[in-house]
Amino acid sequence: MAKSTVPDPRATLRGGLPDRYLTPYDIAEMFEVPLETVYQWRRKRTGPPGFRIGKYIRYDPADVRAYVISRKDADTHAA
């Protein structure tokens, strides 16, 4: 069985900041949600903050990491 040449975005976040911005597809794969969910998060401003480069949406890995940490903290305080 051949290994995939596409890096796992979740491993990228665990292993350090990648040298590229993440796409909505990366975010969907990372959180194991449908792509439409990522777009809904953006419209509702509830998910990780993204930004526009021309017609494309990109996510800074540092912002995604901060979002995950904030969600973990929120869940810890809610319990």
Side-chain angles (χ1 to χ4, degrees), residues 17-30:
L17 298 176
D19 59 356
R20 66 177 180 83
Y21 291 112
L22 302 170
T23 67
Y25 299 102
D26 294 329
I27 300 298
E29 184 176 323
M30 189 179 309

Side-chain angles (χ1 to χ4, degrees), residues 8-10 12 25 32 35 37 39 46 49 65 68 71 75 79:
D8 178 359
R10 291 171 293 185
T12 301
Y25 299 102
E32 298 179 354
L35 183 60
T37 298
Y39 289 122
T46 58
R65 177 174 286 170
V68 169
R71 296 301 308 147
D75 283 350

Side-chain angles (χ1 to χ4, degrees):
M1 182 181 275
K3 285 183 94 174
S4 173
T5 58
V6 177
D8 178 359
R10 291 171 293 185
T12 301
L13 279 181
R14 286 191 302 268
L17 298 176
D19 59 356
R20 66 177 180 83
Y21 291 112
L22 302 170
T23 67
Y25 299 102
D26 294 329
I27 300 298
E29 184 176 323
M30 189 179 309
F31 292 112
E32 298 179 354
V33 297
L35 183 60
E36 183 56 35
T37 298
V38 176
Y39 289 122
Q40 286 177 14
W41 288 345
R42 180 157 166 77
R43 282 191 298 272
K44 295 177 182 178
R45 299 182 189 273
T46 58
F51 59 96
R52 203 172 267 292
I53 298 291
K55 65 179 183 175
Y56 302 102
I57 303 297
R58 294 295 181 259
Y59 296 85
D60 186 324
D63 291 341
V64 175
R65 177 174 286 170
Y67 170 76
V68 169
I69 290 169
S70 74
R71 296 301 308 147
K72 285 182 175 181
D73 289 345
D75 283 350
T76 301
H77 290 91

